[in-house]
């Protein structure tokens, strides 16, 4: 179909609905003469007579009746689709796919699911777990959550946590038996719980920075008798007093506050860029993405660490 016919077909439907050029022209904000000429051009292009015109009245031909019956349903469907799009922009709705690491999903998103979904009842959230960095567009996702250090410079991203710290922790009982390390160099005398990345297969290297100096960041190869690719398993091992682990501080904050775990080497663990919500673009952002972004930013202050 020639798309240039669509405006004239819509005008024809207005005339047919009103059975009047005058009333249709007034509704559409055009002159009666312009509307009449437009319909004549349509008839010429279709090579069929659609309307009978007199100085006082107009009526549809048989061909005009058939065309009007089909167009009326079609235009109602188009109006409904346009209205749905407008409503979707005003109110968050539909499927929102968010690509996220398992840790970010567990700590940042899942605890707030009841509030998020109650606030936006027409929203459907799908979390796509991927511990590697993902191309959210290629994977059909609307947004992603990753640490700031893993984002490309050109990426559109919004911080959803304050800067974070790594924390070296173990149970008070473990430290009572093995002593408190005063520097990362002393970790060689301790049993360190090892985390293996699912995506790369590499064992995570513990990261440190010298106290009271700029730069000089370094890593330590953890040595110990337990390795896992699941941070929940590593947490359980630490709580059983098997050894020390290094994890993001927000992951162990509750255990530190309860006294189940004790932190060491804090001066050696400096802040780094926290988690970000990254997006394809800020332009013409769908309401569902805007609502999720605003919600996650709202929760950001709750993660700020108290001195």
């Amino acid at each position: 179909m020639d798309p240039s016919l669509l405006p004239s077909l819509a005008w024809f439907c207005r005339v047919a609905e009103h059975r009047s050029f005058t009333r249709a022209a007034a509704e559409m904000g055009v002159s009666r003469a312009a509307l009449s000429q437009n319909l004549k051009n349509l008839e010429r292009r279709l090579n069929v007579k659609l309307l009978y015109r007199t100085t006082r009245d107009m009526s549809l031909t048989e061909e005009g009746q058939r065309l009007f019956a089909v167009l009326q349903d079609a235009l109602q469907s188009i109006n409904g689709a346009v209205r749905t799009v407008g409503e979707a922009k005003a109110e968050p709705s539909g499927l929102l796919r968010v690509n996220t690491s398992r840790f970010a999903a567990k700590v940042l998103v899942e605890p707030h699911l009841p509030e998020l979904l109650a606030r936006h009842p027409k929203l459907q959230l799908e979390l796509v777990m991927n511990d590697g960095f993902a191309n959210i567009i290629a994977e059909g996702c609307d947004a992603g959550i990753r640490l700031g250090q893993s984002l490309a410079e050109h990426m559109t991203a919004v911080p959803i946590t304050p800067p974070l710290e790594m924390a070296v922790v173990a149970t008070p009982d473990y430290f009572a038996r093995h002593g408190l390390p005063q520097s990362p160099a002393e970790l060689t005398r301790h049993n360190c719980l090892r985390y293996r990345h699912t995506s790369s297969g590499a064992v995570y290297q513990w990261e440190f920075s010298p106290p009271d100096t700029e730069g000089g960041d370094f890593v330590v190869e953890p040595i110990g008798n337990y390795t896992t690719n699941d941070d929940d398993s590593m947490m359980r091992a630490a709580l059983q007093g098997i050894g020390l682990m290094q994890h993001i501080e927000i992951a162990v904050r509750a255990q530190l506050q309860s006294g189940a775990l004790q932190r060491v080497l804090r001066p050696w663990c400096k802040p780094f860029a926290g988690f970000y919500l990254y997006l394809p673009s800020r332009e013409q952002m769908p309401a569902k993405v805007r609502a999720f972004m605003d919600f996650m930013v709202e929760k950001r202050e709750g993660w700020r660490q108290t001195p």
Side-chain angles (χ1 to χ4, degrees):
M1 177 184 172
D2 184 351
S4 65
L5 286 173
L6 289 174
S8 295
L9 291 172
W11 285 25
F12 164 70
C13 281
R14 286 288 184 269
V15 172
E17 288 170 356
H18 290 290
R19 291 297 195 271
S20 166
F21 277 93
T22 301
R23 288 196 295 271
E27 178 188 329
M28 298 167 63
V30 297
S31 69
R32 187 184 187 283
L35 183 57
S36 178
Q37 185 59 48
N38 185 277
L39 267 294
K40 286 180 182 179
N41 292 338
L42 177 63
E43 289 177 323
R44 188 178 305 113
R45 294 183 64 181
L46 297 179
N47 195 27
V48 63
K49 192 169 185 61
L50 302 173
L51 303 166
Y52 292 122
R53 302 172 179 84
T54 68
T55 55
R56 291 189 172 185
D57 199 8
M58 60 79 56
S59 62
L60 298 176
T61 65
E62 183 180 353
E63 292 79 5
Q65 288 280 10
R66 286 202 300 267
L67 181 61
F68 176 55
V70 174
L71 289 177
Q72 197 172 27
D73 290 340
L75 289 175
Q76 285 178 352
S77 297
I78 293 173
N79 283 334
V82 171
R83 185 169 55 252
T84 299
V85 170
E87 291 172 351
K89 184 176 181 180
E91 180 178 0
S93 62
L95 178 62
L96 175 69
R97 302 184 78 237
V98 179
N99 192 294
T100 174
S101 66
R102 290 176 295 173
F103 173 78
K106 179 182 67 176
V107 175
L108 302 180
V109 181
E110 292 172 4
H112 303 298
L113 277 178
E115 182 181 355
L116 172 66
L117 298 178
R119 187 181 299 184
H120 304 295
K122 294 185 179 180
L123 186 67
Q124 299 172 332
L125 179 64
E126 179 179 349
L127 296 182
V128 181
M129 306 296 184
N130 186 338
D131 288 328
F133 188 71
N135 184 327
I136 56 177
I137 297 177
E139 297 193 9
C141 293
D142 300 287
I145 298 175
R146 287 296 183 279
L147 286 170
Q149 61 194 29
S150 63
L151 296 177
E153 290 185 3
H154 67 277
M155 189 69 65
T156 299
V158 178
I160 56 174
T161 69
L164 302 176
E165 294 179 3
M166 300 303 292
V168 178
V169 299
T171 61
D173 176 68
Y174 174 88
F175 288 127
R177 289 183 282 117
H178 299 282
L180 299 173
Q182 301 300 315
S183 73
E186 297 180 19
L187 291 174
T188 56
R189 301 198 296 268
H190 288 267
N191 191 40
C192 298
L193 306 176
R194 294 153 39 99
Y195 178 83
R196 188 180 300 279
H197 293 286
T198 303
S199 56
S200 65
V203 172
Y204 168 70
Q205 307 288 295
W206 291 18
E207 302 174 357
F208 297 99
S209 300
D212 304 323
T213 61
E214 293 296 330
D217 298 350
F218 63 96
V219 297
V220 171
E221 173 78 31
I223 300 173
N225 59 11
Y226 183 68
T227 303
T228 179
N229 67 347
D230 179 74
D231 62 320
D232 283 339
S233 178
M234 186 170 64
M235 174 75 79
R236 289 190 292 269
L239 289 171
Q240 290 170 353
I242 295 174
L244 296 89
M245 71 171 180
Q246 187 180 61
H247 207 336
I248 297 177
E249 185 272 336
I250 60 174
V252 296
R253 187 173 295 178
Q255 290 77 13
L256 290 173
Q257 291 173 345
S258 70
L261 292 176
Q262 181 178 344
R263 184 174 182 181
V264 295
L265 304 179
R266 183 169 182 175
W268 297 82
C269 299
K270 294 184 178 179
F272 58 90
F275 282 96
Y276 283 71
L277 181 74
Y278 65 101
L279 315 160
S281 172
R282 284 179 179 267
E283 297 180 3
Q284 296 178 322
M285 187 183 299
K288 60 184 179 181
V289 177
R290 168 67 66 179
F292 184 71
M293 181 184 74
D294 291 345
F295 182 84
M296 296 304 297
V297 170
E298 175 187 317
K299 300 303 176 186
R300 179 173 59 200
E301 285 305 307
W303 289 113
R304 196 167 296 281
Q305 187 176 14
T306 56

